[in-house]
Amino acid sequence: MGKIKINLVSGSIEEPQAEKGNVVVGIDLGTTNSLVAWVNPGTGAPEVLVDEWGGLVPSVVGLLEGGDAVVGQKATGGLVTAPERTIFSVKRLLGRSYQDVSKVQELIGYRIIDDNTEQLVRILVDGRYYTPIELSAIILKELKDKAERILHANITGAVITVPAYFNDSQRMATRDAAKIAGLPVLRIINEPTAASLAYGIGFQEEVEGGFAAKKVLVYDLGGGTFDVSVLTIEDGVFEVLSTHGDTVLGGDDLDRAIVAHWTNQSEALQQLQSQISAAGMQSIRLAAEFAKKWVCTHRQEIFKKQLYWNPVARIFEVKEAEVTDSGLLAIAELGLSYEDLVTVASPIIEKTMKSVKSALKDAELSVADIDDVVLVGGSTRFPEIGRMLKEEFGFKHVNQELNPDEVVALGAAVEAEVLAGNRQDVLLLDVTPLSLGIETAGGLMDVLVPRNTKIPFKVAREYTTSVDGQVNMRIAVFQGERELVAENRKLAEFILRNIPAMPAGFPKIQVAFLLDANGMLKVKAKELRSGVEQDIEIKPQYGLTDAQVEQMLMDGFTHAKEDVEMRMVQEAINEGRQMVYTAERFVEKNGAMLNEEEIEGTKQRIENLRCLLDESSSSKDAILDAVTQLNDYTKPFAERLMDVAIAAALKGKQI
Ligand code: ADP
Ligand code: MG
């Protein structure tokens, strides 16, 4: 018998609790849904953590008027009632600049700031600027809290998954989101890798003469994205050979295709089309999604429901029972059979199958070379997908026994368990114990190689100058987990000289880090336009004891949240300085094109921004606001200038 605890203040009996243990988890931070899983020590098997809301947490954040946020099912209602403050699909924006994602604005109801630069995107709600990193952090925090509540334990580490096609900046943004959420990241791994791990693919199977190398194809069809990846796994090392896909193709398209199919069939529905409100559209769409899921799970039967038009509310309602209320007008009896679904879905599924072919081709493999296919994403519950892969392609083995919307989180939990040292049957690779990076403006640490990166590696990132005519650039290499280089360990420094004088932002300076199998780090800087280069060699681990590495890691964890917040302020300051510099040059060069009032207006806004930059207590929002104001004000001038240049060019004149 355990003991019963009584809270002496409230007089209530507290649930019997094991002492608060430490637990590691796996997290699938999805575009549509997110999940958290752990390996149950009782059974040794991975499990998704489920509470009264279920296991899936919709990746939706509702930003309430008071500044609070709600996440998941609690926020989804806002998609219809308050689209401007209900953020969904934020994963599409993570680590991207406005230039990368300007097309996304049409798909969403909230506002992305268009500063037309390569800066990371921001979202504006109620005069507050949110970065996709902060919004993802809110989702991660919800998942962490959920896990801690269910397990009565502290979450001391997490493996977080990202799509195989995520670039360096998107992966860094995911790490930063975890830091803000107070989640120590054990490792960021690829979603297809996690899905394979969930099926136990990749754990060593001894064969004659060594370990078998496996080739796996992972087909992932989610709510709004599709990707297929081909992996090889050898001695516990997962390598992505190819990925293909479509970032705007998924289950949502099946829903839309069903709505189109119904509209085609019902004249009454067509006539009402112009009167349907957004909420009415949403309810038809939800009916379509429901029908889709229904026929997928009851594939022999036919889904039938009544759709009613409520002329007062101007919405559609779907009712199962006959409704006699005269206020409602029955419009159509919706029907969907499995065969109907196969027909309407066929162009969408065809597209995905083309990607499968391309991915195989890029990996230079044939169907027969693939040992395992793994199905991922809720939409692969559509049996047609598994059927085509098996019967039409002829893949040997299609894994679909696990819940396809859970496999990524389950695999991440397995990986977390391995990294926590609880499994002995997996090979742990040589990795960098601490992050490596260089110093950038404002004394910030820009990480090129996150800790836990497999050795050997080669990575490169491009930088540029911030001042016109800059001919030298100092490259200072640091190691550690803190956001300010001052708190990290300096490894080396050198100067790239003789960069030809160019306007600010023009030079392309590539900094590459190469770490060989012996742990020697080579850092190389090269200005790509001119070919000027310089390099240096260092031994990063030299003179560091294990205890020191551990201390540096701990410091990183304990200061993670404040560090990231401080960095965001510093980045706003850097952006502000750059904006002041650019705007001043602009007025200097093109003053003749502007009238007095415009010059005055510009100067005033520059001054306003400069004051904020000089003051040490300025908030990130205040600075960004001043940047936006200056940018919005001067943008039409820049456009006008472009028009003049084009007009002149058309006349054949040099300007
Ligand atoms: P993401 O990876 O984008 O976060 P999920 O893997 O959770 O998304 O997939 C969500 C999609 O799966 C939705 O479009 C949903 O309609 C679809 N889906 C869920 N269950 C079923 C089912 N039983 N049959 C068909 N589609 C389903
Ligand atoms: Mg997914």
Side-chain angles (χ1 to χ4, degrees), residues 30 70 82 88 97 294 346 380-381 386 421 428-429 455 476 492 528 531 570 573 590 602:
V70 285
F88 66 96
S97 73
W294 201 90
S346 112
T380 60
R381 287 222 168 86
L428 275 181
L429 300 157
I455 296 172
L528 299 176
Q570 186 59 50
I573 293 172
N590 306 302
T602 308

Side-chain angles (χ1 to χ4, degrees), residues 17 28 82 95 97 122 154 234 257 270 273 276 288 358 388 395 446 500 527 541 548 655:
Q17 283 185 5
D28 171 6
S97 73
R122 287 187 291 269
N154 298 313
E234 203 165 356
Q270 285 162 27
Q273 197 93 118
I276 304 172
S358 309
M388 286 184 82
F395 283 112
D446 194 33
E527 201 289 306
Q541 252 46 63
Q548 282 168 320
I655 55 163

Side-chain angles (χ1 to χ4, degrees), residues 168 448-450 453 457-461 511-515:
D168 188 42
L448 275 95
V449 185
T453 301
F457 60 75
K458 181 184 175 189
V459 289
R461 193 175 293 171
V511 176
F513 278 42
L514 291 89
L515 192 68

Side-chain angles (χ1 to χ4, degrees), residues 30-33 222-224 251-252 289 292-293 296 377-379 381 405:
T31 311
T32 322
N33 293 306
D252 298 349
E289 186 183 3
K292 170 187 77 177
K293 291 186 189 173
C296 284
S379 299
R381 287 222 168 86
D405 37 22

